[in-house]
Amino acid sequence: LDVIKKISPREISRSIETSRKKVFAVIIDGAATSGIISTCDEYDVKHLAANNFSMHDNAKVNLISL
């Protein structure tokens, strides 16, 4: 995979929402909050990789622990 864009954790949800192309995967060097997980579910992101995850029931996105 190629790095398309590096952003701060606060910008992840907004960047997914405003992306002109469908986002396939998000990789976070840190924790994935429930808000980020929800946004990934809402916009059909297939994979979310992070160091740790906040509690989120029934996530559709594939959660990958780094």
Side-chain angles (χ1 to χ4, degrees):
L1 294 175
D2 292 330
V3 175
I4 304 296
K5 188 176 187 180
K6 288 186 179 185
I7 56 175
S8 74
R10 291 181 182 173
E11 297 176 80
I12 292 172
S13 292
R14 187 172 348 127
S15 291
I16 292 171
E17 293 167 1
T18 60
S19 177
R20 286 184 240 142
K21 294 185 178 183
K22 185 174 177 181
V23 176
F24 179 74
V26 174
I27 302 171
I28 302 171
D29 184 18
T33 64
S34 60
I36 293 171
I37 297 169
S38 294
T39 300
C40 288
D41 281 347
E42 183 179 342
Y43 288 90
D44 294 322
V45 175
K46 299 297 180 198
H47 306 285
L48 173 59
N51 292 337
N52 21 1
F53 301 90
S54 67
M55 188 60 128
H56 189 76
D57 293 331
N58 302 322
K60 292 184 281 183
V61 63
N62 180 34
L63 303 176
I64 303 167
S65 182
L66 300 176

